[in-house]
Amino acid sequence: MSVLIYVELDNGSIKKTSLEAVAYGAKVAEKTGGKAVVLALGNAEAAELEKAGRYGATKVLHAADARLEHENSLAYADALAQAATQEGSKIIILSKSGLGDAMAARAAAKLKAGIVSGVTALPETDGGFKVTRAIFTGKAFATTEIKSDIKVLVVRKNAVEIDETGPTDTVAAVEAFQPTLRDSDFTAGVVSVEKADSELSLTEAEIIVSGGRGMKGPEHWQPLIDLARALGAATGCSKPVSDLDWRPHHEHIGQTGIKVAPNLYIACGISGAIQHLAGVNGSKCIVVINKDPEAPFFKAADYGIVGDVFEVLPRLTEAAKNLK
């Protein structure tokens, strides 16, 4: 029995969150006595896909049909279900994202599989198949038992540690995969894609520097940008900032914006409203800079700096530059 892991691609490269899913799937395969098989859809070089072997995959199924170049949850879910049937996979794993959730639900319906999204730990297999998942935007955890023959798990970001220093000569075999694609799945499709100006994707960034109304206006954003550049970080903002058009809406982080899970999240002049915390509580380390020592965000922070952001940020930027 194999474990099938779907990996999302970005310009032909496997996304970091999907590498976490591969590492998770390899551990599940080891635990259940199977092999970890990866599915990739769209354009990618074989050398890039072979890298999945470094994270525990033994084989990569690659469907390079031109119609799969752009994300299509209907066609992708069809292909995922077909790959699972071909491989006899009883466990299917995806990383949590808009696409991952959409594919997982549709594939689960096709395969009559039980599905759990937001998984945070390896399954317990003694006396059943139980998984822990995050609920209430990560403020609580629930244990769910899946009793169906086929199981679909959607893994939360940062739930799995991946070893980037492992051997580089471990590769997975790449095999061509040709799913049967239905014309009805392509009644609506992507015509073109124009990426936002930001250099780094918020969902993939290891470090994010984010600002709130404490930055006092769009004309005062440069110190924050300077720190982000010094750290190789992406920039984000709170909802009030995007509502005021100080920053573009695609930088809005929070419950109604983008949910992020970087290794380091630096909040500058953000008070810490509940909706913002819901979007960042997957971060491994949170640093808060605010001149108000009573700001609620300090209660969620791993480290806090009480001070004026316009005094603190330049000093942090200088320190970051000196580290290089």
Side-chain angles (χ1 to χ4, degrees):
M1 181 184 73
S2 67
V3 173
L4 181 66
I5 308 117
Y6 169 71
V7 294
E8 292 187 40
L9 302 176
D10 182 16
N11 287 325
S13 298
I14 302 175
K15 290 185 176 181
K16 175 181 176 292
T17 49
S18 287
L19 293 176
E20 293 175 1
V22 175
Y24 178 90
K27 291 178 181 177
V28 174
E30 182 179 358
K31 191 170 186 174
T32 57
K35 294 182 178 180
V37 178
V38 164
L39 173 65
L41 305 173
N43 293 327
E45 298 292 333
E48 170 64 23
L49 300 179
E50 288 173 349
K51 293 178 182 176
R54 293 170 54 186
Y55 303 89
T58 57
K59 182 171 71 174
V60 178
L61 300 177
H62 181 208
D65 190 297
R67 287 186 291 176
L68 299 175
E69 179 179 355
H70 296 299
E71 293 179 358
N72 179 321
S73 59
L74 295 175
Y76 278 26
D78 265 350
L80 180 62
Q82 291 175 45
T85 301
Q86 174 183 299
E87 295 297 314
S89 304
K90 300 298 184 184
I91 301 174
I92 302 169
I93 294 169
L94 305 92
S95 57
K96 188 164 180 60
S97 68
L99 177 63
D101 277 331
M103 287 179 62
R106 289 180 168 87
K110 293 177 184 295
L111 297 167
K112 302 186 184 307
I115 176 174
V116 174
S117 183
V119 173
T120 60
L122 288 173
E124 298 174 15
T125 54
D126 294 332
F129 191 97
K130 300 175 184 176
V131 290
T132 301
R133 65 188 174 96
I135 57 175
F136 301 122
T137 64
K139 293 185 178 296
F141 298 91
T143 300
T144 302
E145 183 175 11
I146 307 177
K147 297 180 179 179
S148 57
D149 183 37
I150 301 176
K151 303 161 181 64
V152 178
L153 308 181
V154 185
V155 181
R156 198 179 189 214
K157 298 171 185 173
N158 268 341
V160 183
E161 292 284 348
I162 56 175
D163 183 5
E164 298 283 3
T165 62
T168 59
D169 58 348
T170 302
V171 299
V174 179
E175 294 182 5
F177 175 60
Q178 296 180 323
T180 301
L181 300 177
R182 302 182 304 176
D183 291 340
S184 58
D185 287 343
F186 295 91
T187 52
V190 176
V191 176
S192 65
V193 175
E194 295 180 14
K195 285 202 167 187
D197 293 334
S198 57
E199 296 177 359
L200 289 172
S201 163
L202 282 172
T203 56
E204 291 292 305
E206 300 282 351
I207 305 173
I208 295 174
V209 182
S210 191
R213 281 185 292 186
M215 296 302 295
K216 298 183 179 178
E219 69 276 19
H220 300 302
W221 223 259
Q222 194 58 46
L224 187 152
I225 294 172
D226 290 341
L227 177 60
R229 286 175 177 168
L231 294 172
T235 57
C237 68
S238 62
K239 184 176 187 298
V241 165
S242 63
D243 287 345
L244 290 166
D245 285 334
W246 290 4
R247 299 297 296 174
H249 285 278
H250 68 258
E251 290 190 1
H252 166 202
I253 295 171
Q255 192 169 23
T256 56
I258 298 174
K259 294 180 177 62
V260 299
N263 289 332
L264 174 60
Y265 185 79
I266 302 176
C268 309
I270 301 176
S271 61
I274 291 175
Q275 78 88 20
H276 188 77
L277 292 176
V280 306
N281 60 13
S283 305
K284 286 186 178 177
C285 180
I286 296 176
V287 176
V288 172
I289 307 170
N290 201 305
K291 66 180 180 182
D292 178 7
E294 302 299 323
F297 216 156
F298 281 120
K299 295 180 180 178
D302 296 285
Y303 300 95
I305 300 174
V306 179
D308 189 323
V309 289
F310 299 105
E311 295 177 3
V312 174
L313 286 175
R315 296 171 69 177
L316 286 179
T317 300
E318 190 64 27
K321 289 179 178 177
N322 290 335
L323 289 174
K324 295 181 178 178

